[in-house]
C-alpha cells in the first residue's frame, strides 16, 4: 500500500456543504479536529443566483404582460424557527445574515370550510415565531464564517465519487494499526478520514455507498415556488391555506408587499405553463383575496416532494444528518430546522469525544446522537404525514372533522399556545 499523504488525512469529512453540513462544520470550528467539507457545487455567493437544480428547458419563460416581477429575492427561502436561530447565533453566523423578516403571527385557513387558526408570538411571550430568510443568505454567511476556522478545508466544486472503508495505514513499512478509516475519492483526488458525515441531501451518495436503506415514498406532489407581489402588505404574518389542490404558503419577506410562496400541487405543470396574469388570478382566488389581488410574480420553479427516513442514521465511523437522514413535506417548513438540530446534536457529541479514549467514529457515541434526534424527527415526519393526508382528503366527513377541530383549536388558548411553541421550535 502506498504511503498516505498525511496532509490529505482529516479527522472528519463532511460530504455536503448545504445548510446542514456547513452548520456542523462551523459548530466544530473551535475544536481541534481537522475537518474537510466537500461539496459538488461552487461556493455560494450573492452574485450568483443559486438556481434550483433543474433542466434549463423546464424553466418557464416569463412573459411581459404587466405582472412580471424582478423582486431581487432568491426563489428558495426557509422559515427558520427560534431554536434554529439560536443554533446559528451560537456559531456566530446569524449576526452576519443581512436580510430576513421576523414573523409575529401565523394564520392557517381551510378553504373548504370557514375554519381558521391564528397564533402569535405575543401569546407565548416571544418577539417572533421565526424568521423568513433566503437560503442563499444563510449559505453565504455560513461559507464566509468557515474561512475564519483554520482547522477546516473546503473542497468546493468537488463531488464525492466513491468511498472505501477497508483499513488504511500511513506507513507500509511499520504501521499495522488501523489509522484511517475511510478513503474518499473526491473530484480527481483522494483524501482520508476517521469519521464520514453524510450531509449531502435527499439523494445522499454517502447513504447509498454505505448501504443504509430508507423508508421512502413519493407524495406524487411537487412544490411550486416563486416570489409574488400582493396588493395589501403582509403585516409580518406567515399565512397558509389548505386548498383543494394542496397547501399554499405565503411567507412574508423583508419588503411589506412581497411574499415567497410554496404551493404543493398534484400537478404543477398547468400552473407553470399558465401566463402570469392567469397565474396571479389563481393565486388571488386560492388565497381568498386575503392580501387583495396578487399583482406580480417572479419566475416559477418546482421541486418534487418525497418523504424518506433512513433506517439508521449511523454506522461505525459514519453519520447522516439533515435531508440525508430524513426529508419531509414542506407544508410546515420544518426540514431545515430538523437538520440544524441534527448538526447541533452531532457537534456536541463529537466535542465530548475529545475527552474520551474512544475515537470519534465510536458507534456508541454516534448512537447517542441518533437517539437524541431520531425520535423527534420521526414524530415530526408522522405529524406532517397525518396533516398532509388530513388536508388532501376529499371526504366530506373528514372535511367536517378537520373544520370542527380547527375551530375548537382556535378557541382554545392552551392549544394555540402549544402550536405557537411548536412553530418556534422551543
Ligand atoms: C419547496 C421547499 C420549501 C422548504 N421550506 C422550508 C422551510 O420553510 N423551513 C425549513 O426548515 N425547511 C424547508 N424546506 C426543507 C429544506 O430546504 C431542507 O430540509 C434543507 O435544505 C436540507 O438541507 P441539507 O443541507 O440537509 O441538504 P441540501 O440543501 O440538499 O444540501 C446538500 C448539499 O450536498 C451537496 N452534494 C450532494 N451530493 C454530493 C456529492 N456526491 N458530492 C459532494 N457534494 C454533494 C449538494 O451540492 C448540496 O450543497 C423546504 C424544502 C422545499 C423543497
Amino acid at each position: 500500500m502506498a504511503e498516505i499523504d498525511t496532509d490529505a488525512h482529516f479527522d472528519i469529512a463532511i460530504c455536503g456543504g448545504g445548510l446542514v453540513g456547513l452548520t456542523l462544520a462551523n459548530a466544530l470550528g473551535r475544536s481541534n479536529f481537522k475537518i474537510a467539507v466537500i461539496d459538488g457545487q461552487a461556493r455560494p455567493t450573492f452574485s450568483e443566483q443559486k438556481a434550483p437544480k433543474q433542466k434549463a428547458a423546464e424553466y418557464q419563460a416569463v412573459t411581459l404582460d404587466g405582472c412580471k416581477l424582478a423582486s431581487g429575492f432568491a426563489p428558495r427561502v426557509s422559515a427558520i424557527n427560534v431554536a434554529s436561530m439560536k443554533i446559528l447565533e451560537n456559531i456566530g453566523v446569524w449576526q452576519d445574515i443581512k436580510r430576513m423578516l421576523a414573523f409575529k403571527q401565523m394564520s392557517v385557513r381551510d378553504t373548504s370550510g370557514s375554519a381558521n387558526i391564528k397564533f402569535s408570538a405575543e401569546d407565548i411571550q416571544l418577539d417572533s415565531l421565526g424568521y423568513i430568510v433566503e437560503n442563499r443568505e444563510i449559505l453565504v454567511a455560513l461559507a464566509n464564517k468557515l474561512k475564519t476556522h483554520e482547522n477546516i478545508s473546503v473542497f468546493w466544486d468537488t463531488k464525492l465519487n466513491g468511498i472505501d472503508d477497508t483499513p488504511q495505514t500511513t506507513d507500509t513499512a511499520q504501521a499495522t494499526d488501523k489509522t484511517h478509516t475511510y478513503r474518499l475519492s473526491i473530484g480527481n483526488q483522494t483524501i482520508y478520514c476517521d469519521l464520514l458525515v453524510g450531509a449531502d441531501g435527499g439523494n445522499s451518495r454517502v447513504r447509498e455507498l454505505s448501504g443504509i436503506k430508507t423508508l421512502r415514498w413519493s407524495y406524487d406532489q411537487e412544490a411550486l415556488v416563486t416570489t409574488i407581489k400582493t396588493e395589501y402588505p403582509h403585516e409580518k404574518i406567515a399565512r397558509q391555506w389548505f386548498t383543494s389542490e394542496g397547501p399554499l404558503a405565503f411567507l412574508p419577506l423583508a419588503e411589506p408587499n412581497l411574499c415567497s410562496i410554496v404551493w404543493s400541487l398534484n400537478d404543477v405543470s398547468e400552473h407553470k405553463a399558465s401566463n402570469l396574469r392567469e397565474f396571479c388570478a389563481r393565486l388571488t382566488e386560492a388565497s381568498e383575496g386575503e392580501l387583495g389581488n396578487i399583482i406580480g410574480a417572479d419566475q416559477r420553479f418546482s421541486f418534487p416532494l418525497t418523504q424518506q427516513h433512513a433506517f439508521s442514521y449511523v454506522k461505525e465511523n459514519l453519520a447522516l444528518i439533515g435531508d440525508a437522514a430524513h426529508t419531509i413535506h414542506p407544508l410546515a417548513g420544518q426540514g431545515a430546522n430538523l437538520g440544524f438540530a441534527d448538526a447541533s446534536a452531532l457537534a456536541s457529541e463529537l466535542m465530548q469525544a475529545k475527552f474520551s479514549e474512544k475515537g470519534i467514529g465510536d458507534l456508541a457515541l454516534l448512537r447517542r446522537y441518533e437517539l437524541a434526534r431520531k425520535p423527534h424527527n420521526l414524530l415530526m415526519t408522522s405529524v406532517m404525514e397525518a396533516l398532509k393526508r388530513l388536508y388532501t382528503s376529499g371526504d366530506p366527513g373528514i372535511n367536517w372533522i378537520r373544520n370542527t377541530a380547527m375551530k375548537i383549536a382556535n378557541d382554545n388558548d392552551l392549544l394555540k399556545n402549544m402550536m405557537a411553541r411548536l412553530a418556534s421550535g422551543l
Side-chain angles (χ1 to χ4, degrees):
M1 194 189 295
E3 190 175 316
I4 288 170
D5 172 4
T6 49
D7 283 350
H9 168 243
F10 296 88
D11 298 311
I12 302 169
I14 302 169
C15 179
L19 294 175
V20 177
L22 294 186
T23 298
L24 174 66
N26 277 297
L28 295 170
R30 278 186 230 116
S31 70
N32 294 325
F33 298 125
K34 192 176 166 198
I35 297 166
V37 177
I38 304 134
D39 197 282
Q41 295 194 27
R43 189 166 78 82
T45 60
F46 286 117
S47 54
E48 151 250 8
Q49 283 248 353
K50 224 182 169 191
K53 294 160 218 159
Q54 202 174 8
K55 286 182 213 126
E58 287 174 15
Y59 291 159
Q60 200 208 322
V62 179
T63 54
L64 271 170
D65 66 353
C67 303
K68 186 181 176 184
L69 183 67
S71 68
F73 281 82
R76 287 295 303 273
V77 309
S78 293
I80 298 300
N81 66 26
V82 180
S84 298
M85 179 276 278
K86 286 185 190 294
I87 291 171
L88 294 172
E89 193 175 58
N90 285 340
I91 57 173
V93 166
W94 188 253
Q95 299 79 335
D96 295 337
I97 294 177
K98 297 186 176 65
R99 188 162 69 176
M100 71 178 77
L101 180 118
F103 63 98
K104 314 276 177 202
Q105 257 188 52
M106 282 185 81
S107 154
V108 181
R109 282 188 74 83
D110 185 344
T111 59
S112 70
S114 54
N116 181 18
I117 300 183
K118 272 193 180 154
F119 44 93
S120 69
E122 221 177 25
D123 299 338
I124 52 168
Q125 291 81 48
L126 288 178
D127 293 335
S128 68
L129 288 174
Y131 304 83
I132 308 298
V133 198
E134 290 151 272
N135 289 11
R136 186 184 60 182
E137 288 278 340
I138 313 176
L139 286 168
V140 170
L142 283 164
N144 286 344
K145 184 57 77 182
L146 276 191
K147 291 194 236 161
T148 64
H149 299 301
E150 285 180 359
N151 60 331
I152 301 177
S153 308
V154 192
F155 298 82
W156 295 114
D157 268 324
T158 308
K159 277 204 152 188
L160 171 80
N161 302 316
I163 62 178
D164 175 5
D165 64 352
T166 51
Q168 316 289 320
T169 56
T170 44
D171 180 350
T172 44
Q174 292 120 25
T176 50
D177 289 346
K178 176 178 155 182
T179 50
H180 307 298
T181 306
Y182 275 110
R183 181 167 60 186
L184 310 182
S185 155
I186 61 163
N188 52 14
Q189 53 193 311
T190 303
I191 63 167
Y192 301 83
C193 67
D194 296 332
L195 173 68
L196 173 60
V197 179
D200 47 348
N203 296 320
S204 170
R205 187 96 173 104
V206 171
R207 192 185 62 222
E208 181 196 330
L209 291 169
S210 62
I212 296 179
K213 300 272 178 277
T214 61
L215 180 63
R216 175 190 172 103
W217 63 96
S218 165
Y219 285 117
D220 292 326
Q221 278 198 329
E222 283 184 87
L224 187 147
V225 302
T226 189
T227 306
I228 57 158
K229 187 165 187 174
T230 58
E231 190 181 356
Y232 308 137
H234 50 60
E235 294 175 320
K236 300 185 180 175
I237 302 174
R239 294 175 170 84
Q240 175 125 276
W241 294 266
F242 284 97
T243 73
S244 54
E245 291 182 276
L248 166 67
F250 278 18
L251 306 174
L253 294 171
E255 296 286 332
N257 291 65
L258 292 184
C259 290
S260 177
I261 69 154
V262 181
W263 200 356
S264 308
L265 296 157
N266 295 338
D267 182 11
V268 290
S269 56
E270 203 195 328
H271 288 289
K272 274 176 95 179
S274 61
N275 72 40
L276 265 176
R277 204 175 287 285
E278 203 178 301
F279 177 64
C280 290
R282 284 181 181 197
L283 276 177
T284 304
E285 192 186 336
S287 60
E288 302 178 311
E290 208 175 312
L291 291 178
N293 289 321
I294 308 307
I295 52 181
D298 268 339
Q299 189 175 356
R300 287 159 260 176
F301 298 96
S302 63
F303 300 87
L305 298 178
T306 47
Q307 173 126 293
Q308 65 180 336
H309 216 109
F311 284 111
S312 174
Y313 291 7
V314 298
K315 280 174 72 165
E316 203 166 354
N317 305 304
L318 186 140
L320 302 176
I321 56 174
D323 274 21
H326 44 76
T327 54
I328 62 171
H329 198 287
L331 69 84
Q334 286 299 324
N337 289 310
L338 298 183
F340 289 129
D342 289 353
S344 172
L346 181 59
S348 70
E349 288 301 336
L350 293 174
M351 294 303 262
Q352 306 277 335
K354 280 198 301 194
F355 309 107
S356 139
E357 282 178 15
K358 294 186 178 158
I360 46 176
D362 176 33
L363 188 59
L365 175 145
L366 297 175
R367 284 240 181 275
R368 283 202 296 277
Y369 147 67
E370 184 181 53
L371 197 63
R373 295 299 309 149
K374 204 174 180 185
H376 181 84
N377 293 342
L378 275 171
L379 179 68
M380 195 58 91
T381 303
S382 317
V383 171
M384 287 315 116
E385 183 60 24
L387 281 176
K388 200 256 163 193
R389 285 178 191 219
L390 192 64
Y391 282 100
T392 50
S393 165
D395 186 314
I398 292 186
N399 286 357
W400 180 83
I401 293 170
R402 196 174 67 204
N403 262 274
T404 311
M406 277 176 81
K407 280 179 193 145
I408 293 170
N410 197 46
D411 292 338
N412 185 315
D413 286 345
L414 196 68
L415 272 176
K416 282 208 300 185
N417 290 358
M418 270 171 61
M419 282 189 264
R421 289 224 168 268
L422 200 68
S424 71
L426 294 175

